[in-house]
Amino acid sequence: MHLATTQARLKLVSIVGMEGIGKTTLAKEVYAKLQCKFECRAFVTLGRKPSLVATRLDILHQVKPQGTIPLNGTEAPEMNQVVTELREHLVTKRYF
């Protein structure tokens, strides 16, 4: 598949707003309705000071439960390691 064709098909939706207005509830409803249309899917919520490594590990373990990077190890994995495994796993899949 040509890279430009792949990029044209990618979509991103951001939900922003003040605390307590139902952003997470809205996101969960959309996820619940659309998740069956995707081969791989993950749902994560972020706090005020999210850990990028932990967030990406959470995504990896949701889309690839048999992932080779441990979720609760004594040593934090490198960001590149997590990104590489995610990218390799999702490259041929439709994901949400």
Side-chain angles (χ1 to χ4, degrees), residues 5-14 34 38 94-96:
T5 304
T6 303
Q7 289 177 340
R9 294 174 43 197
L10 297 177
K11 305 282 188 229
L12 172 70
V13 176
S14 298
L34 297 178
F38 295 88
R94 189 164 183 243
Y95 53 89
F96 180 54

Side-chain angles (χ1 to χ4, degrees), residues 26-90:
L26 173 62
K28 284 180 181 179
E29 288 294 320
V30 170
Y31 181 79
K33 289 185 189 299
L34 297 178
Q35 68 177 333
C36 63
K37 298 181 183 217
F38 295 88
E39 185 177 354
C40 291
R41 59 202 163 272
F43 188 91
V44 295
T45 57
L46 303 176
R48 290 181 188 231
K49 295 181 181 180
S51 163
L52 289 178
V53 173
T55 301
R56 289 179 177 159
L57 271 174
D58 189 10
I59 293 169
L60 177 63
H61 284 277
Q62 286 185 55
V63 301
K64 186 180 178 190
Q66 72 282 11
T68 59
I69 299 173
L71 187 56
N72 291 321
T74 55
E75 188 176 313
E78 290 190 25
M79 181 74 78
N80 290 342
Q81 187 181 9
V82 177
V83 170
T84 298
E85 186 151 350
L86 266 172
R87 195 174 276 141
E88 288 173 358
H89 182 69
L90 296 175

